[in-house]
Amino acid sequence: MTSQETARVAVVGAGGIGAAAHLPAVQSLGDEAQLVAIVDLDADRRAEAGNRFGCTDLYSGIEEMLAAKRPDVVALATPPHLHEAMAIEVMRAGAWAYCEKPLTGSLASADRIIAAERDTGRWCVSVSQFRYAGGSQQAYAALRNRRWGRPLIGVAHTNWYRGPEYWDIPWRGKFRTEFGGATTTQAYHAIDLLVWLMGGDWATVSGVADTLARPIEVEDTSAAVVRFQSGAIASLLSTVLSSRQETHLQVTTERATLGLDTLYLPQQDEWSVRQLDGEGVTRIVDDWPEPEPPLEVNAHRAQLRGILAAWREGRRPDVTAADARSTLELLTALYKSSATERSVARGEIAQGDPFYDALDAAGPSRKQAIVHV
Ligand SMILES: NC(=O)c1ccc[n+]([C@@H]2O[C@H](COP(=O)([O-])OP(=O)(O)OC[C@H]3O[C@@H](n4cnc5c(N)ncnc54)[C@H](O)[C@@H]3O)[C@@H](O)[C@H]2O)c1
């Protein structure tokens, strides 16, 4: 592969996030990417996306598209229960997959995707767009360089609101097709970003997850405490019932507190760093972050650019299935902790544990308990 090579990119799923983020991202990449096909089961969606993004190669099925177009990279913006099969099919066809979150619905499934990466020599990258949004990479670098000392305390509170109509889309709200609710679907981004910023070394989780007010199987709210190997502690709150409509992230280190107050797409100016001066007065650190260009289009694009650079250079991209598995394991541990009413350690959910085969293995029984309330 040469550095000039243009990647042939296909997008599967032209629904909500496919049309809002993936297709504009591919289209905006100029010489780096060529949109070679759009796949969607729904004929109207396909046609509409084709018109809007100037693509005439439209398919109803991924198999036919892979055989006809031989793409280099395939963005998967389909419902969660289709991710595993599609990602493996993409890699077996010789392409890299760029798959929406949650990557898949169980650790067993994640391990099958990792095995397919190994067998095919291709990669499956999980969408983690908060890591690529404004300021995130600088926050990561500052924390890794210990600019303000070691991370000690983390907060990721996703206070989002979804009214009942949100679940009109049939795959949403159900264990079989969505796998998990507020934690896995909405708070995924903030949790993934926080754990990455804290260094990724989470060790135990104690949590509760429940369905408090929406007519859905999956949880609409969860809360958890995470302990890291370093000793650091984090608080997670994930809900779709909050009228505040905000995402709040915080990392307190030995000498400062980083904060991010955003909603769906962090911007650089939504980050701040506070420190106490000699008199005990809190002041905002004004030389951080360094100015960076505003996000063009969306953070999916920033991540896709990174994938294409790795593809051109023939090296491993960031956030492959193994990285996504770490976040998935933390979410699974949260659900298991809620079901068993005890803390769950990293590594304990292995083959033979029902939670190895299903993200929220306690799902239906939890729902039955709610029905009796
Ligand atoms: N990263 C983010 O910010 C973000 C935001 C929203 C959704 N998502 C994730 O993206 C995925 C899709 O969510 P959405 O809200 O866009 O869903 P959606 O239902 O709006 O769109 C999914 C599209 O996939 C198509 N589809 C379904 N089965 C197909 C098949 N077998 N072959 C081809 N096309 C098929 C549907 O027709 C639909 O157009 C989910 O995993 C969701 O969690 C991510």
Side-chain angles (χ1 to χ4, degrees):
M1 295 168 195
T2 70
S3 59
Q4 271 74 41
E5 203 170 341
T6 301
R8 296 163 49 74
V9 183
V11 175
V12 184
I17 201 69
H22 290 275
L23 283 161
V26 179
Q27 196 190 39
S28 71
L29 278 169
D31 288 347
E32 290 176 73
Q34 181 195 358
L35 178 62
V36 295
I38 297 174
V39 183
D40 201 295
L41 273 183
D42 184 303
D44 292 338
R45 281 227 172 125
R46 242 181 4 246
E48 195 184 320
N51 279 336
R52 186 169 151 211
F53 296 99
C55 178
T56 51
D57 292 288
L58 308 177
Y59 295 84
S60 59
I62 188 171
E63 195 180 345
E64 190 194 349
M65 182 280 289
L66 289 170
K69 303 306 291 187
R70 312 300 307 174
D72 300 308
V73 176
V74 179
L76 297 173
T78 46
H81 66 292
L82 301 175
H83 292 173
E84 178 194 340
M86 285 186 167
I88 292 175
E89 199 173 352
V90 163
M91 289 189 280
R92 287 196 180 137
W96 289 17
Y98 176 34
C99 183
E100 264 306 337
K101 45 57 58 175
L103 174 61
T104 188
S106 69
L107 296 174
S109 169
D111 287 341
R112 290 190 289 269
I113 297 174
I114 292 167
E117 288 181 326
R118 218 174 19 241
D119 293 347
T120 60
R122 303 298 191 270
W123 296 107
C124 175
V125 176
S126 174
V127 168
S128 279
Q129 85 256 26
F130 271 29
R131 298 192 195 187
Y132 293 86
S136 297
Q137 297 280 333
Q138 290 196 57
Y140 182 77
L143 289 166
R144 291 292 73 69
N145 297 337
R146 300 287 188 257
R147 178 167 173 170
W148 302 289
R150 288 180 299 125
L152 302 173
I153 305 162
V155 174
H157 289 182
T158 300
N159 281 298
W160 292 8
Y161 182 87
R162 294 289 181 273
E165 68 288 345
Y166 175 79
W167 289 277
D168 288 347
I169 292 183
W171 62 264
R172 288 188 178 148
K174 302 185 178 78
F175 288 109
R176 194 181 57 77
T177 46
E178 195 179 20
F179 305 131
T183 326
T184 302
T185 300
Q186 281 81 25
Y188 184 93
H189 303 292
I191 294 174
D192 179 69
L193 177 59
L194 180 78
V195 173
W196 180 64
L197 291 177
M198 298 288 289
D201 63 329
W202 71 270
T204 61
V205 182
S206 304
V208 286
D210 223 324
T211 315
L212 302 178
R214 291 288 178 269
I216 54 177
E217 290 175 5
V218 295
E219 87 287 356
D220 58 28
T221 302
S222 75
V225 173
V226 180
R227 186 83 170 177
F228 290 79
Q229 272 161 23
S230 65
I233 296 170
S235 153
L236 311 179
L237 174 71
S238 310
T239 187
V240 284
L241 306 179
S242 173
S243 300
R244 289 186 71 94
Q245 276 286 74
E246 65 181 18
T247 306
H248 175 68
L249 213 108
Q250 219 184 92
V251 179
T252 289
T253 65
E254 291 167 293
R255 295 188 297 280
T257 296
L258 270 88
L260 170 68
D261 289 290
T262 186
L263 183 53
Y264 299 138
L265 182 60
Q267 303 290 327
Q268 194 191 1
D269 62 5
E270 293 172 327
W271 288 89
S272 63
V273 175
R274 290 177 168 77
Q275 276 185 314
L276 288 181
D277 66 14
E279 267 92 63
V281 177
T282 301
R283 68 177 185 90
I284 305 256
V285 174
D286 54 17
D287 63 347
W288 189 92
E290 300 282 327
E292 59 187 42
L295 282 178
E296 301 162 60
V297 186
N298 56 51
H300 283 73
R301 176 189 197 269
Q303 185 171 9
L304 180 59
R305 282 198 84 186
I307 296 169
L308 297 182
W311 173 80
R312 286 192 300 270
E313 292 156 22
R315 60 177 165 80
R316 179 187 179 136
D318 291 334
V319 207
T320 62
D323 299 303
R325 189 192 191 282
S326 169
T327 303
L328 195 71
E329 185 180 0
L330 186 146
L331 300 177
T332 311
L334 191 162
Y335 292 122
K336 181 175 177 184
S337 169
S338 179
T340 57
E341 298 185 344
R342 65 169 181 80
S343 168
V344 174
R346 187 173 196 164
E348 79 165 56
I349 304 173
Q351 274 186 13
D353 184 323
F355 282 88
Y356 180 73
D357 297 306
L359 190 56
D360 186 357
S365 56
R366 175 160 55 69
K367 179 62 187 161
Q368 276 161 21
I370 288 297
V371 166
H372 295 298
V373 167

